[in-house]
Amino acid sequence: VVLILSHLDVPSRLRVGATCRAWREASREPCLWTILNVAPYSQRVDDGVVEQIAHGRSILQADLHGCFRLTDASLEALARCSSLQVLDLCDLRQISDRGVETLANGCRHLSSIRLSGCSQLTDLSLLALGRHCPHLRRVNLGYCPWMTDDGLRELVIGCHSLHTLILSKCPAIRNAGLAIVAARCVNLHTLIL
């Protein structure tokens, strides 16, 4: 049964779980939820869906790209997935520094995070990531207008393994911030401005 369920998309797996007790138990199998991709359903996904999916599951990768209805409540739900390693939050314009701080504090094994287009985020998000997520290797901050050299410094001080950093369309990141990146990120091989 689990093999069959593994071929279903996320909404179908959730619906099957509501059918009967046996199917509900099968649909909760941890191996079905290690990779979560709800981006194709971005128009319909809200905080309740993310909370339902994240509850008690060991999600390793989550793609929430473009799920414009999501707020900090979704980040709080994902923060309980302590094994989370790869996260795409691109274009989530309702999330704030508070949500990113909660997420970073709970998901200390993050190796990749995409925050491109999260236009409310500031240096406080970078501070939280730098303090709590030392394993970050890939960070996308494109189109985040409120992030500055100060926040970038906090990120690179805490994340020694960065090898990919995307800073395109970040007008408050200047040469001083790039100098800090050059000095601190010895493993960096991709920098996109």
Side-chain angles (χ1 to χ4, degrees):
V1 173
V2 173
L3 181 61
I4 294 167
L5 294 177
S6 70
H7 295 288
L8 297 178
D9 59 16
V10 172
S12 297
R13 263 187 255 154
L14 291 172
R15 283 193 300 273
V16 163
T19 307
C20 69
R21 182 178 297 144
W23 283 91
R24 181 174 53 249
E25 292 304 315
S27 72
R28 289 183 177 169
E29 186 66 32
C31 66
L32 294 173
W33 300 100
T34 57
I35 298 174
L36 173 64
N37 182 4
V38 294
Y41 317 101
S42 61
Q43 302 293 319
R44 299 186 314 238
V45 174
D46 61 17
D47 292 328
V49 171
V50 173
E51 289 170 4
Q52 179 185 3
I53 292 170
H55 182 72
R57 296 202 168 89
S58 296
I59 298 171
L60 299 177
Q61 298 178 30
D63 184 351
L64 307 175
H65 184 140
C67 296
F68 63 91
R69 295 164 57 181
L70 300 184
T71 68
D72 289 342
S74 289
L75 300 188
E76 291 168 13
L78 288 171
R80 293 188 291 274
C81 299
S82 60
S83 57
L84 189 62
Q85 297 173 14
V86 177
L87 183 58
D88 186 342
L89 300 174
C90 287
D91 298 322
L92 301 190
R93 292 184 175 91
Q94 295 189 62
I95 64 171
S96 72
D97 294 324
R98 184 182 60 80
V100 172
E101 182 173 4
T102 302
L103 177 82
N105 194 36
C107 299
R108 295 174 181 252
H109 298 289
L110 276 177
S111 63
S112 175
I113 190 164
R114 295 182 64 209
L115 297 170
S116 179
C118 296
S119 54
Q120 291 190 44
L121 302 183
T122 70
D123 290 343
L124 294 175
S125 290
L126 298 181
L127 175 65
L129 291 170
R131 283 189 179 163
H132 302 297
C133 301
H135 305 293
L136 276 172
R137 296 171 46 86
R138 299 176 50 91
V139 177
N140 182 342
L141 304 173
Y143 299 89
C144 292
W146 306 113
M147 294 185 179
T148 70
D149 295 341
D150 295 334
L152 187 58
R153 180 183 62 249
E154 296 300 325
L155 177 71
V156 300
I157 285 172
C159 302
H160 305 286
S161 300
L162 279 177
H163 69 70
T164 301
L165 184 58
I166 300 173
L167 302 170
S168 53
K169 303 294 184 184
C170 294
I173 304 259
R174 309 257 187 239
N175 288 340
L178 297 177
I180 294 166
V181 169
R184 302 285 307 204
C185 298
V186 295
N187 296 316
L188 194 70
H189 65 73
T190 303
L191 175 64
I192 299 175
L193 303 174

